[in-house]
Amino acid sequence: MRVPSSVVFAVAVLQIAVGGALGLGLGPFPRWGMTGVAVGNIVAMACGVLVLLAYLQWGQSRVRIPWRGVQLSWPMFRDILRVGALACLSPVQSVLTALIMTGLVARLGPQALAGYGIGQRLEFLLIPIAFGVGVASVPMVGMAMGAGQVQRARRVACAAGWVAAVALTGIGALVVLWPQLWSRIFTTDAQVLHHADLYLRMAGPGFAFFGMGLALYFAALGSGRIWGPVLAGTARLVVVAGLGLWLSQQAGVTAQSLFLVVTAGMVVYGLGTAWAVWRTRWD
């Protein structure tokens, strides 16, 4: 993971540098505004792709990319898409959940929306933490499954879920107790701070469930049994959309009640994924 992680970090730095220079017109660069920010994203991602491609081709000896005589094979595509196509629904569900909640909170005013946005930034930063644990479990589960060691594969999945849950429990407890450690990075407006701190206090207890669910989702990828975790993500989306829309139509709806819906969605996702992995026969 050292090389790809370093490349991803370098891409992030390059994106900030190029996007900032072209967006703000720093130094000799033109001021393109949001177009410059977008160009910075494209340039950084393209450089990352080229570096990783060069590494695969010349930087190591374990894998060689055959550029000539390659024939497309439907059985290979089928094996990839059997898991990959279904797994693509998970990030769509996560983003759609956030979009729906953003629209509902926006009805409460710009201060509530800004506060929610600050809290939501932290929630999205939790994904790479759980991702780092979960993606390490994918080859471990896959190798165990290939060797017929189903119980070992399930122990790996269980360990990944608990590691992610514990890691995110610490972050959740921190922002519940001291939310302004995060919110004051972005604003000093009293009303925005109030809503941001409220969101962090409400959502913080759900971080552990979110981390466990996401890590188990990746472990399920290694087993090839992905239906259960995807349905758990669907349940989260239904809870947030259904309860959120119902609450938004009630008189006197508050930001606190909507933020509690977010927490409920995380709990449903974590417990639902754990139950699905537990009940699904991997053998």
Side-chain angles (χ1 to χ4, degrees):
M1 291 301 296
R2 185 180 298 112
V3 171
S5 297
S6 300
V7 172
V8 170
F9 181 80
V11 166
V13 174
L14 182 62
Q15 179 181 348
I16 294 172
V18 177
L22 292 176
L24 302 175
L26 301 179
F29 295 95
R31 185 170 184 172
W32 289 353
M34 289 303 297
T35 302
V37 176
V39 171
N41 184 27
I42 295 173
V43 170
M45 293 297 178
C47 290
V49 169
L50 292 176
V51 170
L52 289 175
L53 184 60
Y55 172 73
L56 287 174
Q57 186 66 26
W58 299 293
Q60 46 81 47
S61 58
R62 296 182 179 181
V63 177
R64 280 289 177 260
I65 302 178
W67 296 103
R68 297 179 180 178
V70 177
Q71 295 182 349
L72 299 181
S73 171
W74 167 243
M76 187 173 296
F77 278 106
R78 183 181 58 206
D79 287 343
I80 294 172
L81 294 175
R82 182 172 58 88
V83 176
L86 187 59
C88 287
L89 294 176
S90 181
V92 174
Q93 291 169 339
S94 297
V95 174
L96 187 57
T97 300
L99 287 176
I100 292 174
M101 185 54 61
T102 299
L104 296 176
V105 175
R107 302 178 182 181
L108 301 178
Q111 285 80 17
L113 180 60
Y116 169 72
I118 291 172
Q120 185 68 30
R121 293 296 182 275
L122 179 61
E123 184 181 326
F124 269 102
L125 284 178
L126 300 178
I127 295 177
I129 299 175
F131 173 87
V133 176
V135 76
S137 71
V138 173
M140 295 176 67
V141 171
M143 286 189 293
M145 291 291 293
Q149 300 176 2
V150 178
Q151 291 306 313
R152 173 178 170 80
R154 298 187 74 89
R155 287 196 300 270
V156 170
C158 183
W162 280 113
V163 169
V166 170
L168 269 62
T169 294
I171 298 175
L174 192 65
V175 297
V176 167
L177 296 174
W178 301 286
Q180 293 196 4
L181 289 176
W182 175 259
S183 58
R184 280 196 174 274
I185 297 175
F186 301 94
T187 184
T188 57
D189 184 279
Q191 286 297 316
V192 176
L193 280 173
H194 167 72
H195 286 94
D197 294 349
L198 181 64
Y199 176 81
L200 293 172
R201 289 194 175 101
M202 294 295 101
F207 288 175
F209 296 93
F210 180 69
M212 175 178 284
L214 195 57
L216 289 174
Y217 160 79
F218 279 103
L221 287 177
S223 73
R225 312 298 199 276
I226 194 63
W227 269 106
V230 170
L231 290 177
T234 304
R236 178 194 178 196
L237 177 60
V238 171
V239 167
V240 171
L243 283 179
L245 288 172
W246 179 77
L247 284 173
S248 65
Q249 296 172 358
Q250 307 304 310
V253 60
T254 63
Q256 181 176 1
S257 60
L258 291 178
F259 294 162
L260 282 174
V261 171
V262 176
T263 306
M266 292 182 185
V267 173
V268 167
Y269 176 64
L271 295 180
T273 304
W275 184 84
V277 171
W278 175 56
R279 295 294 298 173
T280 300
R281 291 187 58 177
W282 283 7
D283 55 350

